[in-house]
Amino acid sequence: MTAPLRLSVRRSEVPPPEAPDRRIEISLRVPTDLGVVEEAVDLVARHCLASGIPPRAARFRLRVALCEALSNAIVYGNRMDPAKRVDVTVVVTDTTVSVQVRDEGDGFDPSGIPDPTSPERLEMAEGRGLFLIRQLVDEVRFNERGNSICMILHRA
Amino acid sequence: MSFTFRKDEAKGVVVLGVDGQLIVGNRHELKQKVLDALDDGERKFLIDFTSTGYIDSSGLGVLVSLSKKIREVSGELRLAGLNDDLRTLFELTKLDSLFAINESAEEALAAF
C-alpha cells in the first residue's frame, strides 16, 4: 500500500503591488487520484474560511464546485494518468474568491456540453458536473485551450 | 466519510445513512451496498442524508442509476434528510422530479 499523498499549500498574506486588494493566494498541486479530491477540497475550503469569506459559500458552493472541477480535471483532463498533476490556485480579494483549476490535458470545448436537465438526459448518470459549477458560482471562465477553468464567487 | 447500513424490520426497508460526502471518491461504495442488498432480495431502500456535507454530480449520478435499477425490479427508493443546500442541488438539476423525497427518515419510513 502506498503512503498517503500529501498536498502542498502556499499561502501568501502580503498583497503584491499589482494587486493591492489581494488578501490570500493559495496554491495546491493535486495528484491525478480521485481519492484525494475530498482532502483537497477540504484544505482549500478551510483556508478560504480562515480568510473570512462567508461560511455558507465556502462550505457548500465552493466545495461542490471545486470537487466537480477537480474530478473533471482528473478524469477527462488528465485521463487518470498518474504522471500528470492538477494545479489549483485560489485568490481571495476584498470582493471575490477565484478558484482556478488547471489540468495537463488537451482541453475541451465547454460550449459543447448538453443540458443535463432536458427530459431525455435527466436519467443519465453522467454529465452534470459543469452544469452544477455554472449554477453554483457567479462567473466561470475557461482559457483558450480549455484545460483551465476559473470559478469566481462574489463575496457580497 | 462513511456509510451506515441497517434494516428497519417493521417496514422491511434498508436504511443507508451517508455520513460525510457522497462524491466521486466514494460513490461506488454506496452503489455496491445497494446492489448487494438488491441481490439479497431487498426491494425497499431509504437513503438518509441527515449527516451529509455535500454531494457532487457523481454522487447524484449514482443515485440516478440506483433509482433506475430499483425501479426495474419494482422496488422503491426514498431520499430523506436533505438540508437546504443539498435540496438546492436536486432542484437545480431537476432531479427533485425523479426522486421521492421526504423531510426526515421517520417520515420516509412511514411513507413506504
Side-chain angles (χ1 to χ4, degrees), chain A residues 48-91:
Chain A
C48 287
L49 272 173
S51 72
I53 72 164
R56 179 172 166 158
R59 191 180 64 236
F60 196 78
R61 291 166 63 199
L62 187 142
R63 278 188 164 129
V64 176
L66 178 55
C67 186
E68 298 296 350
L70 279 172
S71 331
N72 282 346
I74 289 170
V75 176
Y76 302 111
N78 289 349
R79 299 189 180 278
M80 304 297 289
D81 179 352
K84 292 180 175 173
R85 297 286 180 268
V86 180
D87 285 311
V88 180
T89 306
V90 183
V91 175

Side-chain angles (χ1 to χ4, degrees), chain A residues 34 37-38 41-42 56 59-60 63-64 67-68 71 117 122-126 128-129 131-132 135-136, chain B residues 1 21 23-25 27 53-57 60-61 64 68 71 85-86 89 92-95 97-98:
Chain A
L34 291 174
V37 168
E38 183 175 358
V41 169
D42 276 352
R56 179 172 166 158
R59 191 180 64 236
F60 196 78
R63 278 188 164 129
V64 176
C67 186
E68 298 296 350
S71 331
T117 65
L122 196 59
E123 291 205 62
M124 291 197 170
E126 308 282 336
R128 294 182 182 85
F131 173 84
L132 269 187
Q135 298 292 319
L136 292 172
Chain B
M1 175 284 307
Q21 332 311 339
I23 59 173
V24 65
R27 60 184 165 146
Y54 62 96
I55 304 173
D56 71 358
S57 63
L60 292 173
V64 168
K68 267 200 276 192
R71 223 181 313 136
D85 288 328
L86 294 176
L89 290 183
L92 288 172
T93 52
K94 297 192 179 167
L95 290 178
S97 64
L98 200 66

Side-chain angles (χ1 to χ4, degrees), chain B residues 1-93:
Chain B
M1 175 284 307
S2 63
F3 299 108
T4 59
F5 188 89
R6 71 181 173 88
K7 175 90 180 273
D8 183 280
E9 297 294 346
K11 285 282 191 172
V13 177
V14 173
V15 183
L16 292 121
V18 180
D19 207 351
Q21 332 311 339
L22 177 59
I23 59 173
V24 65
N26 67 7
R27 60 184 165 146
H28 292 304
E29 198 183 327
L30 177 76
K31 186 173 184 177
Q32 200 53 53
K33 278 182 189 293
V34 174
L35 293 180
D36 288 348
L38 276 171
D39 279 348
D40 290 342
E42 302 291 351
R43 291 294 180 264
K44 294 178 184 176
F45 295 87
L46 163 59
I47 304 180
D48 183 3
F49 294 98
T50 305
S51 302
T52 306
Y54 62 96
I55 304 173
D56 71 358
S57 63
S58 304
L60 292 173
V62 156
L63 296 175
V64 168
S65 84
L66 287 175
S67 158
K68 267 200 276 192
K69 286 195 182 300
I70 292 170
R71 223 181 313 136
E72 280 166 12
V73 294
S74 305
E76 186 175 358
L77 169 67
R78 289 185 170 273
L79 311 181
L82 297 166
N83 64 26
D84 288 347
D85 288 328
L86 294 176
R87 192 174 274 270
T88 299
L89 290 183
F90 283 81
E91 289 167 358
L92 288 172
T93 52

